[in-house]
């Protein structure tokens, strides 16, 4: 309908020009030359007006289309154009302008999120055969003391080790540790992880860098917070009733005369206070075991002798619980360890397996050993219920236990002992099997 108005206006102008032109020719035939010249001038003016009319319409149309193509929505449509021939074009322009504003808002939110993440993030965008920096978050810029440059090659002067690592892999996906020297500081170790992705025919290369020391510090802080919560919980569980009972005792002895029932209350209160005090003493002793672990007194110990002594201690319990122990360890070699400490670890792990097999009909514990790359591995496995997913990240925390009679220091103490020997303690689990692996160097 709007285009029809435009064509009607154009047709009217053409029609008027034709009439005037024929009038000019007719006057010329009648030898009315002056009149013919005057009419000819009117034709020229009409043609000029029609030219500028068409140019104005097409210029506005071209300008608007060019703005859309260049994502430039700074121009505002004149009000008369919104109601005239270009109403649909103005609606399209406003719609795309709104979409662009929404996109910019989302981009600001995404950038804000990325800038508040503690991981150093660098996103590269491929143009032709070159990589440009699409985004560098604040953590990256701050951690490595680099300005937010736009070209990947510029980073070569600031972070040559990172540049070399990425270039050597030809921008392929990888996950590795990398040492980076920041300005004049010592080398720092970072976990480098990269990925390649495509979107709308564009290639993006995402680089993530995490300071290993920062991750360790964070884990240590979280562990200390959890430990303090557990210690506070245990202390309050004992101190609260002790305080309450002490106040009750004061009230009783302040009476002028004590009845028989009062003496019973006194005995009961004192007994409870002693029990809670004993619990606190055991708790503190367990904490001392963790905090004051003696340095291992390493001596050569026969592997067979080590396990024979451990199994002699555990044999009565295994027999009582009806557990079949399958010992695949038969080695004449010796390892350099603190025998009493490693025995404690093995006994702790076998005891945990006994507990895991409590509700199983077929109860089996497997022992195996392997020597590889100058390392000695001991594996203690059971076909128990496995470790539930929600507690897998807590089993090595001090005083965490799922057993009513447990103190919650067995696995923590075992882990500390193995680490004091220069090794590590790890595990694998599913719903039908759990393997604890001791690695000794």
């Amino acid at each position: 309908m709007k285009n029809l108005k435009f064509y009607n206006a154009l047709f009217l102008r053409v029609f008027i020009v034709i009439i005037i032109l024929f009038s000019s020719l007719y006057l010329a035939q009648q030898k009315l030359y002056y009149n013919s010249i005057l009419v000819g001038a009117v034709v020229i003016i009409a043609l000029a007006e029609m030219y500028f009319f068409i140019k104005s319409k097409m210029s506005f149309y071209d300008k608007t289309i060019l703005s859309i193509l260049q994502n430039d929505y700074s121009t505002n449509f004149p009000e008369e154009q919104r109601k005239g021939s270009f109403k649909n074009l103005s609606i399209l322009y406003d719609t795309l302008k709104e979409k662009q504003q929404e996109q910019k808002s989302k981009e600001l939110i995404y950038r804000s999120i990325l800038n508040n993440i503690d991981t150093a993030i660098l996103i590269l965008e491929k143009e032709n055969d070159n990589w440009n920096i699409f985004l560098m978050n604040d953590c990256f810029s701050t951690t490595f003391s680099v300005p937010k440059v736009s070209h990947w090659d510029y980073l070569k002067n600031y972070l040559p080790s990172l540049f070399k690592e990425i270039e050597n892999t030809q921008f392929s996906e990888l996950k590795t540790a990398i040492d980076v020297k920041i300005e004049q500081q010592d080398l720092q170790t970072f976990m480098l992880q990269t990925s390649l992705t495509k979107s709308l025919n564009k290639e993006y290369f995402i680089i993530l860098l995490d300071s290993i020391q920062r991750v360790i510090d964070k884990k240590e802080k979280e562990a200390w917070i959890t430990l303090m919560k557990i210690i506070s919980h245990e202390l309050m569980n004992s101190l609260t009733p002790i305080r309450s009972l002490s106040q009750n005792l004061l009230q009783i002895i302040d009476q002028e005369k004590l009845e028989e029932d009062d003496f019973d209350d006194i005995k009961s209160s004192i007994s409870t206070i002693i029990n809670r005090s004993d619990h606190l003493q055991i708790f503190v002793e367990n904490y001392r075991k963790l905090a004051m672990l003696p340095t291992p007194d390493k001596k050569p110990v026969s592997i067979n002798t080590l396990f024979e002594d451990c199994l002699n201690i555990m044999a009565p319990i295994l027999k009582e619980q009806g557990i079949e122990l399958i010992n695949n360890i038969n080695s004449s070699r010796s390892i350099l360890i603190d025998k009493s400490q490693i025995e404690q670890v093995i006994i702790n792990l076998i005891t945990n397996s006994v507990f895991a097999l409590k509700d199983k009909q077929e109860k089996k514990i497997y022992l195996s050993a392997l020597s590889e790359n100058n390392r000695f591995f001991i594996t203690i496995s059971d076909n128990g219920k496995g470790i539930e997913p929600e507690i897998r990240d807590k089993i090595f925390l001090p005083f965490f236990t799922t057993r009513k009679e447990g103190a919650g220091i067995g696995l923590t103490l075992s882990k500390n002992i193995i680490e004091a020997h220069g090794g590590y303690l790890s595990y694998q689990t599913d719903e039908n099997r759990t393997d604890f692996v001791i690695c000794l160097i």
Side-chain angles (χ1 to χ4, degrees), residues 401-412:
T401 181
T402 57
R403 288 182 280 173
K404 291 182 180 179
E405 70 278 10
I409 67 164
L411 283 176
T412 309

Side-chain angles (χ1 to χ4, degrees), residues 136-163:
M136 178 193 294
N137 75 339
D138 291 346
C139 180
F140 190 100
S141 179
T142 303
T143 301
F144 300 107
S145 302
V146 297
K148 291 193 174 183
V149 294
S150 58
H151 295 288
W152 165 247
D153 287 346
Y154 291 169
L155 285 181
K156 186 174 183 179
N157 297 325
Y158 296 99
L159 303 170
S161 55
L162 173 63
F163 187 93

Side-chain angles (χ1 to χ4, degrees), residues 92-287:
L92 173 63
Y93 183 88
D94 289 341
T95 302
L96 294 175
K97 183 178 181 179
E98 185 177 344
K99 292 286 185 183
Q100 187 202 49
Q101 290 173 344
E102 289 179 1
Q103 187 65 32
K104 285 184 176 179
S105 297
K106 290 180 181 178
E107 185 177 332
L108 286 173
I109 293 171
Y110 297 149
R111 286 181 180 270
S112 177
I113 292 171
L114 291 174
N115 283 329
N116 282 283
I117 292 175
D118 287 338
T119 300
I121 301 173
L122 185 69
I123 303 177
L124 307 180
E125 180 182 30
K126 193 171 187 179
E127 292 185 7
N128 299 323
D129 292 328
N130 298 319
W131 290 95
N132 293 324
I133 296 176
F134 177 76
L135 182 141
M136 178 193 294
N137 75 339
D138 291 346
C139 180
F140 190 100
S141 179
T142 303
T143 301
F144 300 107
S145 302
V146 297
K148 291 193 174 183
V149 294
S150 58
H151 295 288
W152 165 247
D153 287 346
Y154 291 169
L155 285 181
K156 186 174 183 179
N157 297 325
Y158 296 99
L159 303 170
S161 55
L162 173 63
F163 187 93
K164 183 178 179 181
E165 184 73 32
I166 300 296
E167 291 281 334
N168 287 345
T169 58
Q170 297 182 344
F171 294 89
S172 60
E173 298 188 1
L174 74 153
K175 186 175 183 180
T176 185
I178 181 174
D179 291 327
V180 179
K181 187 173 184 179
I182 304 171
E183 293 186 329
Q184 302 302 317
Q185 302 175 21
D186 294 334
L187 287 173
Q188 296 184 36
T189 304
F190 291 83
M191 179 56 67
L192 169 64
Q193 186 172 352
T194 66
S195 61
L196 191 64
T197 185
K198 289 185 179 181
S199 177
L200 299 175
N201 297 322
K202 287 276 190 178
E203 282 190 68
Y204 296 94
F205 191 70
I206 302 169
I207 301 170
L208 306 177
L209 284 157
D210 257 323
S211 169
I212 291 179
Q213 186 58 49
R214 185 179 62 81
V215 173
I216 292 172
D217 291 343
K218 183 179 178 181
K219 292 292 184 183
E220 286 182 352
K221 183 179 179 181
E222 290 173 353
W224 273 109
I225 291 172
T226 304
L227 177 60
M228 293 311 298
K229 286 180 180 177
I230 294 170
I231 292 175
S232 299
H233 176 75
E234 289 293 331
L235 291 175
M236 292 306 296
N237 278 350
S238 294
L239 292 177
T240 300
I242 287 174
R243 187 174 187 277
S244 177
L245 290 169
S246 299
Q247 289 176 335
N248 185 49
L249 287 174
L250 283 174
Q251 291 175 357
I252 292 174
I253 62 175
D254 281 344
Q255 298 178 142
E256 293 182 0
K257 184 179 180 181
L258 297 179
E259 304 292 338
E260 187 68 28
D261 291 343
D262 292 332
F263 285 105
D264 292 337
D265 288 342
I266 291 172
K267 288 179 182 179
S268 176
S269 296
I270 292 174
S271 177
T272 303
I273 289 173
I274 292 172
N275 288 336
R276 295 315 303 172
S277 299
D278 289 343
H279 176 81
L280 272 179
Q281 185 175 0
I282 293 170
F283 178 81
V284 172
E285 287 297 326
N286 285 334
Y287 182 79

Side-chain angles (χ1 to χ4, degrees), residues 319-371:
K319 183 177 180 181
E320 179 186 348
Q321 297 294 326
I323 297 173
E324 179 186 359
L325 188 135
I326 303 168
N327 185 6
N328 295 317
I329 298 175
N330 185 15
S331 175
S332 58
R333 68 168 287 184
S334 296
I335 52 176
L336 196 63
I337 57 172
D338 185 317
K339 184 174 181 291
S340 62
Q341 289 188 2
I342 298 300
E343 276 183 355
Q344 186 174 4
V345 173
I346 294 171
I347 290 171
N348 283 343
L349 295 179
I350 293 177
T351 301
N352 282 349
S353 292
V354 170
F355 177 77
L357 294 167
K358 189 175 182 180
D359 298 324
K360 298 285 287 188
Q361 291 185 345
E362 185 182 18
K363 304 179 181 182
K364 293 183 179 181
I365 294 177
Y366 305 86
L367 303 179
S368 61
L370 171 68
S371 181

